[in-house]
Amino acid sequence: MPLLFGTAGTPLSAKGRGSEGGIQRVKELGLGCMELEFVRGVRMKEPTAEKIADTAHKTGISLSVHAPYYINLNSKEEEKIQASIKRIYDSAYIGNICGASSIVFHPAYYHEQSGNTVFSKVEALLEKLAGQLEDEGINTTLRPETTGKPSQFGNLEETLALSAGIEGVLPCIDFAHLHARSKGEENSYAEFSAVLEKVEEYLGKEGLRNMHMHISGIEYTTKGEKNHLVLEESDLKFSELMQALKDFGAQGLVICESPNLEEDALLLQKTYENK
């Protein structure tokens, strides 16, 4: 599979706001993928999901899902952990009917606990959930995302270690989040290459051939991520990132989360193709 570029949700220029119209617009624009945004909750019903799968199949557009934001597998309250697991499960269940290959989510907060403590907890929960999905024939990959704030569990090593240790789990590498979390580092060809080397170290060449990435401009403070920006209004050296992805032979999906969605997705695609 080559490297495909697309939007986080329905392109702004789509005629309707629905996912089917979004997929068709992605195809018209010459992009290759789209992420279904379940970020406020999984409200999609099965018949709608089946229509989305049909549209994606006919257009040849690859789909992924972003699970709801309200997920914290390290909550101090057990009912919130169970609700978080249900949100990931529901995203995977409906996403699988849509034909989405990956379910992206922000895994947890540290709550002043050590990284090792939180890792063990998240790992046990994801191992159980991944096993359940496999048992039920729900054929999707769970993708914990590298997070944008130091208060959030999910730095690069934590995310890769989870992925290396659990069957059915692979990373979502959010390069804007890595940049924001490091307060402006992770923003050169050498640093992007080091990230990709780490992916290969933990997951082998196969990890580079089955990537899921988020890229956008980003505003950040000493506390990390603040909000997404249009690429050319940000300091992200996306051209150097595209060069690194090409040099490492990265394959998979690049989802653009910039506010101007398809404009920056097309900019990334064009920049990559010109390398």
Side-chain angles (χ1 to χ4, degrees), residues 4 8 20 27 67 82 107 115 136 155 161 175 208 217 227 239 269:
L4 301 177
E20 286 176 82
K27 177 69 173 176
Q82 293 309 316
E136 294 182 21
N155 65 25
F175 282 95
L208 292 173
N227 53 272
S239 180
Q269 180 172 274

Side-chain angles (χ1 to χ4, degrees), residues 6-8 213 215-216 231 254-258 260-261 264-265 268:
T7 57
M213 294 168 269
I215 301 173
S216 69
L231 281 171
V254 173
I255 299 295
C256 179
E257 294 188 313
S258 293
N260 63 352
L261 284 179
D264 272 359
L268 289 170

